[in-house]
Amino acid sequence: MTETMRTSRTESDRALKAKHRAMWALGDYPAVATEVIGELGTILVAACEVGPGDHVLDIAAGSGNAAIPAALTGADVVASDLTPELFADGRARAAARGADVEWMEADAEDLPFADARFDVVLSCVGIMFAPHHQDAADELVRVCRPGGRIGLISWTPEGFIGQMFATMKPFAPAPPPGAQPPPLWGNVDHVRGLLGERVTDVTARRQTVRVDRFATPEAWLEYFKAKYGPTIAVYRSLAAEPGRVADLDRALLTFAAGFAGDGGAMEWEYLLLTARRT
């Protein structure tokens, strides 16, 4: 690769990361993490058997959905994220619960930590949104000590969030070259391929989180249009095309209606994967 090509890639990656940071700062992701899927962080911490004295890294931690319950076990926890705008809410919630968490801005694809630094490395619907999956997986494995635990919760392609992204795709700007779809992290074969022989004792199971926050598909859509960064970003890209906005509204309402049960409750599927660093 020539120096010009390296510089071009670096510049394009920098621009892409800036776009991702801005997207997750839109709306109110901390509200989504606590009001809609708050239990997922505790589930992941329990699956990783986090306990007192563990050195834990939560990658793409957001406002600390997993980092805070990890710290409450007595672990020494670093919460890293590309979007530090999310940390203010996390710090406030951690303080309210008496959790001691270190917050650090960091790119999941280029973590500022030494090799084998952590006993447990986890990510709760976070690392899956890093655009270059292999780069992120390599960093995740690198910072975990030999024998350490790795834990991931990721939305599946077939589940609610995976299908939401599939529904929005025809309306969204084309992704940059090399960027991979986030829900691939919810495919166990894909994740096994990313981690390779660097891990052992892999366990993976599909589970669901019950979401009963929304009485109707319309209530869900208005909430996600106001609070969920990826949804907000797609609608903003269509701001000059009211017809397309209306089409997207209809597509998302039809999609959500297919998942809604009694009283509007939905089951959102995710992949829970744990492993040990070889």
Side-chain angles (χ1 to χ4, degrees):
M1 184 182 295
T2 67
E3 190 63 34
T4 299
M5 292 173 64
R6 289 194 191 94
T7 301
S8 176
R9 178 174 176 178
T10 300
E11 291 175 349
S12 63
D13 282 351
R14 189 179 297 118
L16 176 59
K17 298 304 173 61
K19 183 177 180 180
H20 271 237
R21 172 177 171 168
M23 178 183 72
W24 287 107
L26 295 172
D28 187 358
Y29 183 73
V32 178
T34 55
E35 297 171 1
V36 183
I37 57 170
E39 68 189 79
L40 291 186
T42 301
I43 289 171
L44 182 58
V45 168
C48 293
E49 300 180 348
V50 176
D54 280 333
H55 294 280
V56 179
L57 174 64
D58 184 2
I59 299 176
S63 53
N65 200 14
I68 292 172
L72 290 173
T73 71
D76 179 6
V77 180
V78 176
S80 69
D81 200 281
L82 184 68
T83 306
E85 290 88 343
L86 303 175
F87 292 166
D89 181 271
R91 288 189 177 100
R93 290 199 302 114
R97 298 181 64 183
D100 186 9
V101 177
E102 179 182 356
W103 304 86
M104 183 174 295
E105 180 180 350
D107 181 352
E109 299 177 5
D110 186 19
L111 295 171
F113 307 112
D115 295 356
R117 160 87 181 273
F118 298 96
D119 302 306
V120 184
V121 181
L122 51 79
S123 186
C124 183
V125 295
I127 197 173
M128 64 180 290
F129 291 100
H132 307 112
H133 294 187
Q134 192 63 64
D135 291 347
D138 290 348
E139 284 293 272
L140 180 156
V141 173
R142 180 184 66 79
V143 300
C144 186
R145 68 164 176 82
R149 287 100 73 198
I150 290 170
L152 303 168
I153 283 182
S154 308
W155 301 120
T156 66
E158 301 83 7
F160 183 88
I161 295 295
Q163 287 299 298
M164 182 196 74
F165 278 102
T167 302
M168 293 194 301
K169 183 177 179 180
F171 298 90
Q180 295 174 279
L184 280 178
W185 280 85
N187 178 295
V188 64
D189 292 333
H190 180 70
V191 182
R192 281 181 174 271
L194 294 174
L195 301 178
E197 297 182 358
R198 298 172 296 180
V199 300
T200 187
D201 299 335
V202 177
T203 64
R205 58 183 181 270
R206 291 176 179 239
Q207 300 182 170
T208 61
V209 57
R210 181 176 176 83
V211 176
D212 55 10
R213 171 78 168 64
F214 312 107
T216 64
E218 288 79 6
W220 163 78
L221 181 57
E222 289 309 306
Y223 185 94
F224 263 53
K225 287 171 70 172
K227 296 185 182 295
Y228 192 62
T231 307
I232 297 169
V234 173
Y235 272 96
R236 285 193 176 184
S237 74
L238 302 174
E241 304 176 76
R244 294 272 286 163
V245 169
D247 289 343
L248 179 54
D249 281 344
R250 284 190 290 270
L252 285 173
L253 288 172
T254 299
F255 141 76
F259 279 84
D262 294 340
M266 298 179 279
E267 299 289 336
W268 293 7
E269 186 182 65
Y270 61 89
L271 178 73
L272 171 61
L273 183 143
T274 60
R276 281 193 177 273
R277 177 77 165 90
T278 54

